[in-house]
Amino acid sequence: MPEIQKSENGGGAKALPSHAKAVIIGGGVVGCSILFHLAKFGWKDTVLLERDELTSGSSWHAAGQIHTISSDPNISRLQGYTIDLYKEIEELSGHSVGLHMTGGFYLASNKTWYDYLKRERSKARYMGLSQEFISPQEVADRHPLIDPKYYIAALWDDQDGDLDPSGATYAFAKAAKVHGAQYFTHTPATKTIQRPDGSWDVHTPRGTINAEHIVNCGGLWAREVGQMQGLNIPVQPMEHHYLLTEKIQAIADAPNRLPCGIDYEANIYFRQERDGLLLGTYEQRGTPWKVDGTPWDFGHELLQPNLEQIADRLEFAFERIPVLGEVGIRQAINGPFTFGPDGNPMIGSVPGMTNYWCAVGVMAGFCQGGGVGLTMAEWMIDGEPSIDVWAMDVARFGDWATPDWGTVKSTENYERRFVMTFPNETLPKGRLQKTTAIYDHLLAKGARMDQSFGLEHALWFANGPEDAHEAPGFERNRSHDYVAREVAAARANVGVIEVANFAKHEFKGPGARAYLDGILAGFVPKPGRVTLTPMLTEKGRLYGDLTVACYGAEHFMLFGSGTMQEAHRRWFMRDLPADVRYRNVSEDWHGLALSGPNSRAVLAELTREDVSAAGFTFRDTKMTYVAGVPVILTRISFSGELGYEIYCKPQYLRRLTEAVELAGADKGLRWYGARALMSMRLEKGWGAWGLDFRPDFTAAEAGLDGFINWNKEFIGKSAALAGKQPAKRLVTLTLELEGIDVSNDEAILHEGAAVGYISSGGFAHHVGRSMAMGYVPAELSAGGQKLEVEILGQMYSAEVQSAPLYDPDGLKMRS
Ligand SMILES: Cc1cc2nc3c(=O)[nH]c(=O)nc-3n(C[C@H](O)[C@H](O)[C@H](O)COP(=O)(O)OP(=O)(O)OC[C@H]3O[C@@H](n4cnc5c(N)ncnc54)[C@H](O)[C@@H]3O)c2cc1C
C-alpha cells in the first residue's frame, strides 16, 4: 500500500513571506523538482504552496517505476538525467528515495515490437544510453518468474528501476530547502491576480504573496489552477490500475531484487514490491476521471478498482508470469493521474501571458520530474532551456486544444500508452477539429488526411475516397506509388498543394523594420520582396526558419512553421516595442501553392499581373488579385520548382481552388500532399523545421549561416559569431535501401561507432533514391564521405552528398 508521509514544516506557525521571485503552486513531484532546481540555480527566493501535505495529488500512489525510454530522444535524455539525480537529492536532503536500480527489460513477443525496440536501441546508441538486446533465456535467467517461451527478444536497460514516490517527492522538497527555498503545506492558492507591472498576487487563506513568476504545477488540479486565470488547459486525469500480490516465496528466497519490465503486447508493466510483485496495465478503454473538474476536497483517496476493466490484460499476465495465477492479490490500486493530449508534459511559459508558467500533464512524473524541473529552471532563469524541449512545450497546442478535445486526445493517448504508433501513422481521435473550406473537396479527390496544429491537411492523394487508405508500418506502404505520381506531375507539369497550415505573422508600425532587423538574423527585404532568414536565440540556437516579406515601409509578414505559431507568438510578444503592432494571422490566410514548369501558365490565366519571368521574379511578392479574389502572391517554392504561393482569406479559398483547377486542367495539374513536398525538398537538400532545424542546433551547424546578415546587430549574433566553425554539421545522405526508408532518429555510424543521427528522410521520387538528412561531426561531413545508418537493427551504407541531387544550381526555381 502506498504510504503518505507528513511534512516537517507543514502549515504551522511559519509566516508566509509577502514576496517571492517565484511561487510554485502544487507540491507533487513536479512542483518539488522545480523548486529544487530553481533554488539550486540561484533563485533561492522561491516558494512552493501545497494545499494539503506534499504528494497530495497523484504522486503518493504512483507505482514508482522508472525508465529512460520515450518517443522523443530529448525526453529520453531528460529521463536519464532524472534517474541520475535521485542519488544527489537523497544525499543532500538526507531523505531516502527508496531507489532500486534493478535494471529492466522491454519484452518483444512479436516481430513488430522487436522492430520497435531495434529503433529504440538505435536511438540509445547515439544518445549514449546503455541498452542491449538479451535473449528470452537471459530474460528468464534474470527474472525466473517469466516464461520465456512467449518472447523473441528483450531490450535490457541498466537505468531502469523503481523508487518510493513519496520519498522521492520529499527528497526534492527537502533538498530545495537545503538550497534556500521554502515550501508551505496546508496552504492552498485560492486566487491568482496579475498586477499591472506583470507580477502576480497569489492569494491563500494564510495571506497573499506577490511573485514575479508563478508556476502551475497543480497536477490533478492543473485545470482548476489554470482556470483561476481563465486558462483552459487540455489535460485530463485518467483512472489507472495496478495490483500488488501477496508474498511470492521465490521472491522472498531470491538473493537479489528482480528487474522490472514492460511487455508491450500484453500491455503490462511489473516490478518487485516487497516480497511480491506489482503489476500495472493501461486499459484498452481508458476511463477519464472527473471530466468536469477535480474536486478540491479530493485527498489521499483511491478509486474503486474495476478488475473487469483489466481482465483481458490479466489473462496475458497470468500466462506470461505464471506465478501470478497462483498467489492472491493483496491490494488493487485504482488512482487518477493526469495525461496530456499527446502523452507528453505541457511545460513552459504560456503564450499570451506574462510570467505565467506551467508544468502540467506530466504522466510519468518519476521518470520525467527531474528533467522537467531542470528545463523549467533553465527556461525561467536563462530565458531558454539547454536542449530543444518542443515535445513538451505548452505552445505546441493552441486555442483549438479545448478541454473537450483534450479529454478525447488524452484518453486516446492513455489507451495507446503501450500500443504501437508507427512513424507514418495518423491517429483517429479528435479529428476534424479544424478544417478549411476545401476539406470535403480534397477528400473527394482522394486525399488521405492528417492533423497538424489542429488543422486537417492532405498527406497524399489516392484515386478516390475509397482508395485513400494505407497500412501503417515501418516499411514503405501503398502510398509510395501515389506520392511518386504527385512528384512526377509537379516536376514535369504543375502540382498544387494547400498551404493553409503554414503560419503567417503580421507586423505593422513605424518600428516594425527595426524590430525585425533585431530579431531576425537575416536580411529584411525591401517592399515587394521576400527573403529567407534564420531566427536565433541569445545562445545562437535556431528558433525559426522564416520567410519575411515586405509590403510597405511599415508592413511586414513572416511565413513559417504552422506548429510553431504559438511558440513564435510567445517569442514576438516578449519585448515588443510600443511602435510595433503584431498579430498571428495564420487563420486569416489560407491558400494554395503551385509548383512546376507549367505553374506560370496556370497563374497567367488567373491574374492581370505580369507574371512573366522578368515581370515577377524569384522572391517577388505583392498583394494583388488571382482568380478574382484578393491574395498575397509570392514567387517562391519549397519544391525546388518554379512556384508560387497564393494566400487568400479563408472565405475565398474555394473560389481560388475552382479557378486553379480549371486553369490547370489542360496543363497536367495534379494535387499533391505533404509527403510529396517532403520528398521534393529532400532531393533539393533542404531541411525542414522541427526535424532538421530545431533549437538543438545553431545556424552554422544547420547550414543556414549563409542567410545571416553579419552587418547588423541581431539576437544571438555574438553566439553565432563564436560558433562559425561548428563541431557538427547537417548533411544530406543517399542510402542503399529497398522497400524501407529512414523516418528519423536512426543512428549514423562511422567505423562501427555512433557519430550522429538522422533528423529526417524518405524516398526522393524524382531522383529515385532513398535519402536522409542528419547531423554528423564536421570532419565527416564532406561530400563522398561513406557512413552507415542503422535501420531496424541492420546497417546500411550511406554517402554524404556535396550538392543537391536535383537542379543543384536552382535554375528551375529561378526560371
Ligand atoms: C496508479 C498510478 C501509477 C503510476 N505509476 C507511475 C510510475 O510507475 N512511474 C512514474 O513515473 N509515474 C507514475 N505515475 C504518474 C505519477 O504519479 C505522476 O506523473 C505524478 O504524480 C505527477 O506529479 P505532479 O506533481 O504533476 O502532480 P500531483 O502529484 O497531482 O501533484 C499536484 C499537487 O498540487 C497540489 N495542488 C493542486 N492545486 C493546488 C492549489 N490551488 N494550491 C496548492 N496546492 C495545490 C495538490 O494538492 C498536489 O499535491 C502513476 C500514477 C498513478 C495514479
Side-chain angles (χ1 to χ4, degrees):
M1 169 68 190
E3 279 159 20
I4 308 154
Q5 305 185 14
K6 292 267 184 227
S7 65
E8 287 145 18
N9 75 338
K14 203 171 161 210
L16 216 54
S18 60
H19 179 271
K21 181 82 179 166
V23 165
I24 296 164
I25 302 172
V29 64
V30 172
C32 292
S33 167
I34 296 173
L35 184 73
F36 165 75
H37 283 91
L38 283 174
K40 178 176 171 182
F41 297 156
W43 281 16
K44 314 246 171 249
D45 182 15
T46 299
V47 168
L48 181 146
L49 304 178
E50 165 54 48
R51 59 175 194 111
D52 197 327
E53 294 292 340
L54 296 180
T55 76
S56 287
S58 50
S59 294
W60 73 278
H61 54 249
Q65 205 149 320
I66 48 176
H67 54 82
T68 57
I69 275 195
S70 160
S71 57
D72 180 81
N74 278 357
I75 294 184
S76 287
R77 276 197 185 95
L78 290 173
Q79 292 187 184
Y81 165 82
T82 302
I83 294 168
D84 289 343
L85 187 65
Y86 285 119
K87 281 210 177 79
E88 176 184 330
I89 58 165
E90 185 171 71
E91 276 169 26
L92 193 63
S93 65
H95 195 104
S96 168
V97 301
L99 190 64
H100 301 110
M101 291 309 292
T102 55
F105 30 59
Y106 302 85
L107 296 156
S109 49
N110 58 38
K111 177 179 177 310
T112 308
W113 280 112
Y114 193 17
D115 283 348
Y116 166 84
L117 292 176
K118 287 176 189 166
R119 284 169 55 86
E120 289 304 315
R121 170 75 185 90
S122 188
K123 270 198 263 176
R125 243 189 242 287
Y126 74 77
M127 287 194 292
L129 297 173
S130 80
Q131 291 176 355
E132 54 165 349
F133 276 108
I134 58 173
S135 69
Q137 189 48 53
E138 284 169 296
V139 169
D141 292 344
R142 295 178 196 197
H143 197 308
L145 301 179
I146 293 179
D147 186 343
K149 75 167 183 269
Y150 293 98
Y151 303 105
I152 54 177
L155 188 64
W156 173 264
D157 191 334
D158 282 336
Q159 252 189 318
D160 285 20
D162 67 89
L163 47 60
D164 162 21
S166 209
T169 309
Y170 272 85
F172 270 125
K174 290 183 177 178
K177 252 176 95 175
V178 173
H179 282 302
Q182 300 185 72
Y183 62 91
F184 292 84
T185 55
H186 300 282
T187 312
T190 52
K191 248 194 302 191
T192 50
I193 295 176
Q194 193 160 32
R195 292 188 186 179
D197 67 0
S199 71
W200 292 87
D201 284 339
V202 184
H203 293 247
T204 83
R206 300 174 60 191
T208 298
I209 312 185
N210 177 254
E212 275 175 51
H213 300 264
I214 54 173
V215 193
N216 175 352
C217 296
L220 289 179
W221 294 266
R223 296 171 298 172
E224 287 68 27
V225 174
Q227 276 156 10
M228 289 178 192
Q229 222 37 64
L231 187 64
N232 292 301
I233 302 177
V235 295
Q236 176 60 54
M238 299 294 301
E239 293 193 15
H240 181 64
H241 285 90
Y242 65 82
L243 307 177
L244 299 168
T245 71
E246 301 282 8
K247 176 174 169 180
I248 296 172
Q249 197 53 49
I251 294 184
D253 296 341
N256 300 317
R257 195 173 171 91
L258 291 177
C260 52
I262 291 176
D263 176 336
Y264 291 102
E265 192 194 27
N267 201 321
I268 52 170
Y269 64 88
F270 50 88
R271 69 169 177 85
Q272 181 174 335
E273 169 68 17
R274 298 187 193 166
D275 286 344
L277 282 179
L278 178 156
L279 176 85
T281 179
Y282 290 85
E283 301 85 337
Q284 239 164 352
R285 287 202 50 202
T287 311
W289 179 74
K290 298 291 179 196
V291 170
D292 293 333
T294 305
W296 284 113
D297 60 0
F298 183 75
H300 286 105
E301 296 145 54
L302 290 170
L303 311 176
Q304 187 61 37
N306 177 358
L307 293 187
E308 252 176 44
Q309 182 91 343
I310 59 171
D312 53 341
R313 306 304 161 115
L314 290 181
E315 267 176 43
F316 265 116
F318 290 169
E319 214 175 65
R320 295 176 179 203
I321 311 177
V323 70
L324 288 171
E326 295 158 20
V327 290
I329 302 298
R330 177 161 61 86
Q331 193 182 5
I333 305 276
N334 180 10
F337 67 136
T338 314
F339 262 69
D342 59 6
N344 285 338
M346 293 174 64
I347 73 168
S349 156
V350 176
M353 298 177 81
T354 315
N355 300 340
Y356 190 100
W357 301 79
C358 73
V360 301
V362 186
M363 58 71 53
F366 296 93
C367 306
Q368 299 176 339
V372 166
L374 171 74
T375 304
M376 287 287 289
E378 289 173 342
W379 205 336
M380 292 174 73
I381 297 173
D382 301 342
E384 60 186 280
S386 56
I387 59 172
D388 175 23
V389 290
W390 174 247
M392 299 198 283
D393 192 335
V394 62
R396 70 192 187 280
F397 301 104
D399 58 5
W400 47 271
T402 60
D404 287 344
W405 186 86
T407 298
V408 168
K409 288 300 280 184
S410 302
T411 307
E412 175 186 58
N413 217 279
Y414 177 92
E415 292 164 351
R416 297 186 67 90
R417 175 100 174 98
F418 289 163
V419 173
M420 175 78 70
T421 301
F422 292 97
N424 60 1
E425 190 161 1
T426 55
L427 296 184
K429 299 267 178 75
R431 298 298 296 273
L432 299 183
Q433 182 71 349
K434 285 202 293 182
T435 53
T436 70
I438 57 169
Y439 174 78
D440 292 329
H441 183 73
L442 297 185
L443 273 194
K445 295 262 166 211
R448 173 92 184 159
M449 293 283 185
D450 196 6
Q451 192 183 57
S452 168
F453 207 68
L455 184 67
E456 297 286 329
H457 69 103
L459 289 176
W460 57 279
F461 287 83
N463 288 332
E466 277 80 47
D467 190 35
H469 58 89
E470 63 182 332
F474 295 121
E475 284 89 18
R476 289 177 201 153
N477 66 17
R478 69 189 295 274
S479 71
H480 186 80
D481 294 344
Y482 294 87
V483 175
R485 185 170 74 175
E486 293 167 29
V487 170
R491 292 274 186 246
N493 300 308
V494 53
V496 57
I497 184 172
E498 190 182 23
V499 290
N501 57 344
F502 294 178
K504 302 106 202 165
H505 304 272
E506 183 184 74
F507 295 84
K508 284 185 169 173
R513 175 174 286 277
Y515 172 70
L516 290 174
D517 252 328
I519 58 161
L520 302 175
F523 294 84
V524 177
K526 60 183 189 191
R529 298 286 290 161
V530 302
T531 50
L532 302 179
T533 169
M535 183 163 73
L536 306 181
T537 68
E538 291 291 356
K539 293 184 178 161
R541 297 217 199 82
L542 291 175
Y543 205 65
D545 155 42
L546 299 153
T547 302
V548 52
C550 178
Y551 299 104
E554 298 187 6
H555 186 189
F556 298 85
M557 296 268 282
L558 293 186
F559 301 87
S561 155
T563 51
M564 269 297 270
Q565 61 185 268
E566 277 296 279
H568 281 154
R569 179 167 77 103
R570 179 176 64 196
W571 187 258
F572 300 141
M573 296 298 290
R574 281 190 324 174
D575 300 306
L576 197 69
D579 57 355
V580 182
R581 298 187 303 283
Y582 161 73
R583 278 193 323 132
N584 174 5
V585 292
S586 304
E587 308 222 312
D588 294 356
W589 294 100
H590 286 178
L592 304 175
L594 296 173
S595 292
N598 292 349
S599 54
R600 179 178 290 125
V602 172
L603 184 63
E605 275 189 32
L606 301 174
T607 180
R608 297 180 188 182
E609 295 286 349
D610 173 8
V611 290
S612 65
F616 197 61
T617 62
F618 181 57
R619 293 200 284 104
D620 274 354
T621 186
K622 66 166 34 177
M623 301 215 169
T624 179
Y625 302 95
V626 170
V629 306
V631 301
I632 298 174
L633 177 66
T634 305
R635 192 178 151 192
I636 198 165
S637 108
F638 193 47
S639 63
E641 292 297 332
L642 167 68
Y644 303 88
E645 289 178 2
I646 314 167
Y647 292 103
C648 63
K649 295 281 163 65
Q651 60 271 31
Y652 294 121
L653 182 62
R654 187 170 161 179
R655 170 84 196 95
L656 177 69
T657 301
E658 280 173 4
V660 164
E661 283 186 330
L662 203 61
D666 60 351
K667 299 175 188 64
L669 181 130
R670 182 178 278 283
W671 282 95
Y672 69 98
R675 288 196 189 152
L677 186 62
M678 292 302 267
S679 167
M680 288 190 276
R681 65 93 203 182
L682 261 184
E683 51 199 21
K684 285 294 296 173
W686 289 337
W689 183 263
L691 297 167
D692 316 295
F693 302 151
R694 312 167 35 159
D696 276 337
F697 309 112
T698 66
E701 288 168 347
L704 291 175
D705 47 341
F707 294 97
I708 290 180
N709 175 4
W710 297 103
N711 298 320
K712 65 168 189 175
E713 294 309 312
F714 58 88
I715 294 175
K717 182 175 179 182
S718 45
L721 277 170
K724 273 190 161 184
Q725 298 299 329
K728 59 176 180 277
R729 284 188 186 278
L730 180 63
V731 293
T732 303
L733 301 163
T734 50
L735 295 112
E736 301 308 323
L737 295 173
E738 281 297 327
I740 192 166
D741 299 299
V742 299
S743 36
N744 49 13
D745 298 334
E746 292 88 350
I748 303 175
L749 295 98
H750 178 59
E751 295 175 350
V755 291
Y757 79 100
I758 296 297
S759 46
S760 74
F763 195 76
H765 285 276
H766 183 79
V767 298
R769 303 291 301 268
S770 192
M771 295 187 73
M773 299 185 83
Y775 284 83
V776 298
E779 62 275 16
L780 299 177
S781 66
Q785 174 71 50
K786 304 274 195 264
L787 297 165
E788 284 188 310
V789 174
E790 181 181 17
I791 304 173
L792 301 188
Q794 291 270 102
M795 300 300 166
Y796 293 92
S797 50
E799 185 176 331
V800 176
Q801 298 301 303
S802 54
L805 293 193
Y806 182 73
D807 189 23
D809 298 322
L811 300 179
K812 299 202 180 263
M813 203 163 64
R814 292 183 174 81
S815 63

